Amino acid sequence: MRSNLFASLAEIHELSRADLSAAFTTWARALRDSPEDHEVMAQLERLAAARGSWPELGALYEEILSGAMDGQIECLYASKLGALYEENLGELTKAAERYERALLVSDDEATPLSALARIYERSENFESLAETYRRLTDATMDEGEQAIMLFNLGTVLEQRLSRIPEAITAYREVLERQPAHSAARSALEHLLATRDREERTSIIAILEPLYEQDGDWARLVDLLATKSKDLDDSFERAQIYARIAELSEKDLGDSVRALDAVGGWLAEDPHSEEALSELQRLGEHLGRFGEVAARLDGIISVSDSDDVKLRLGQRCVAIKLDKLGDADGALENIEALLKMDSDDALALEALQRVCRHRGDMPRLAETQLHRAHLSFDPSVKRELLAEVARLRFDLGMRDECLEAWKEVLQDDEADREAQRELAALYRQSESWQELIDMLRLSSRYAVDAESDRALRTEIAHIFAETLGDLEQGVEAWRSVLDLDPSSLEPLNALESLHRRRADFLAVQEILLRRVDVCTSDEERIGVYLRLAQVAEIDREAPEEAIDFLQSVLDIDSMHGQTTAQLERILRKLERWHDLVDLYQRLAEQCGILDDVQAELRWLAQAADIWESQLDNPDEAGEILEKILARDPNSIGALTRLAKIYESASDWERCGEILEKALALGPQGRDAADLYVRLGEVARNKDGDEAQAQNYFGQALHHDGYHPIALQRIEEASREKGDWILVADMVRRRYEVCEDAKERIDLAVELAELYGDRLGQPRQVIPLLEAARAQAPEDARILGPLADLYFHDGRHAEAVPMYEQLAAEAKKARRMKDVAGYQQRLGGILLAQGNTAEATSAYEQAFRVDPTNVRTMAGLGRLYMGAQDWDKARRVYRSMVLQNIDPSIGVSKADVFFHLGEIHVALGETPKAKDMFQRALSADADHAQAKAALSSL
């Protein structure tokens, strides 16, 4: 009843009198009267909130709490005070004290503990907070709630108190209750990456079975990788890597990671064949041979086991060579292997492959030689030594090449390639005795007669031609002849050797053997001719030569060469009657063959001998009459009769005969001979040079190249200064000239005639070009030809010729010629627009010959164009002192005019005016000087 009364009174105070203080006091009295009345507590809390009188309310609650005799009332007011201090007054310490008191009398520990946890967290009292979470865990039987509290405990221990082992324990307890608790797993995974070895071991022990159970292979693999780092035992680490490799490939489908794990496995257990096999298998599968090689290199580099280094090094070499093509990388492994075992066959085999790839032929040769010395297979050893020899040959290592082939031959002296190559080397080094020995060895093992013959032949050549040992050469060629007595080569060689030994009887013996093996009359004739030559020239027995020549005529009575040779010897021996007999016999043979022209020709030659050598014109005349009886129109016979009369100075009868011959209408050389004879008659009988020249001209009409006619006309033309005719005669001589030197001389002469005398330079270009092909260094050809190219605008062809001429002239110290050629080069370069090089060429010419007006004119133009007034002025002032030929394109007036231009450019007007006036004094009509003077 009292509480209701107080309530009514409080409402009166609040509503009618608006006295909140009185209302609050009234409600307080009501609460003291009924402390368990929650409605009264609510009104007080409302008024405290409205008035801000939380301290008064707190004091009231403290008063009631202090007098509370009932556990429920004590728990209620302790909790109310905890909330009031926490939420309204901010006194967290008092709040915690009141929640602790409530906890002592409360049947529900969770609520005050939760409040305490909240307060400790707000006040950052993390020690009490951790203890509170532990008490909360103990306060509930629900594993889910426990997991939450334990996780919170672990978070505080980890993040606020840094008590990591206890935090790990809390997270483990969470996962014991809820294995799938993701936050606890994440917390442990985070700690795994940041903590020390012991703590990582604890975490791994927690997570590993969970990942295994979940089939979370990716996390399990990562966890195992971390675990392996903390293991001290290599075998255990190797097992971990093996497990990682298996999981990565089979469960994760990650062969790349499996490859990396297998690499770790092998690094921990480098003796494991299984690990090495798996590494190669995965590398092959992925095509990641570079990683495999790098892994093997890494293991090798840290291993102290020679067995491991050898085994892995060999595998690494194979991968680098066969899979990566990395010869340089393989070489490092090979060299390491060979340091451990210089006879390692696999390393040596790999080394030769590397050397081939890198083109390191010297080392390849060295390696193959090493392999050859290790080989027990004769065929393999032979091929290796042969390759060594070839390599050394290509490297220019002649002596070493020889040694290799000799080693091949030591094992098998019948080895034909070794014989052949050694012979080639001996040839190259001109080791003739060694070569002969080798050829003799090869001859013993020759496979057939032809090969044996070739070898013996070479031996014979060496003795005879190279060593000049004629005696040994004869013996060697005889050994060749023994194989085939009918062979011409040894017969020819023996003939040559006997000639060199001047044993001409032996030469005749060989030639007579040649006659026996000849298979045709033509061959026999050739041998008899050589026998005749030996007899006549070498043995100085021309009579014997005649006998051999007669043997030829026995085979072929009309053999031309033999006839000529026999005729020559008979003439040489002055056996004129025998010669006449020869001619008459030949004429008789021609008569039998009905060759009238040849018959008359031989008779005419017989007449010549009677007339010229035997001084018997009567016999000669009889033969000529005989000829004329057979052929009244024989111009040859008439010509010879005329010659007989000419010799007797019977000019009348000579002329008559010639006129008679001409009346027959001869052509070609016959007509030309007649006109030449008539010309000689006109000169000698009548002294009529004009008529004689007319006859010589007629001779050329019939034979344009008759040498006597050409000579007579050229002589007369030179006397008259008829250079056109002279050039024509010289050209004709040039066209039929066969002597190379004489042709060049005639070409030079023609160039001078057409260029200097006739002013027709283009006619000469083809002649000089042909001459240059024969004599490319002849300055007599190069100079005129270069000038012709220059004037014809063919500058590209002229430049190298002028450069060559200038270089040769400079070498010969012909400095004026050097200047001339440089001046021409300057002109060409200027025409091509290359002013810099043109200036250089003109300056070189000027330094050599400072008086050459053409050079000065060109140089002046270049300096003017470059506005180099000082240099231009010096050049033109020098030109004032020279005699200037207007044909060069510059006059004295032009020189003064250019000097005036220079003074104008330099601002020297009075001097310029003086120069222009001097130009007009030299040439009153000089338009440029007039214009320049008027402008001043």
Side-chain angles (χ1 to χ4, degrees), residues 470 474 491-508 510-511 514 526-539:
L470 304 185
V474 167
L491 287 170
N492 289 336
L494 285 168
E495 177 188 348
S496 174
L497 286 175
H498 290 319
R499 286 183 185 277
R500 291 166 62 187
R501 294 167 65 232
D503 187 352
F504 295 108
L505 280 174
V507 172
Q508 283 189 336
I510 291 296
L511 289 174
R514 284 291 306 274
V527 176
Y528 277 127
L529 289 174
R530 283 153 65 186
L531 281 164
Q533 184 183 33
V534 171
E536 178 191 1
I537 298 173
D538 300 317
R539 299 190 59 239

Side-chain angles (χ1 to χ4, degrees), residues 176-194:
E176 286 174 351
R177 290 161 175 78
Q178 288 187 343
H181 196 287
S182 59
R185 290 191 181 194
S186 295
L188 288 172
E189 287 166 354
H190 172 74
L191 287 172
L192 188 66
T194 60

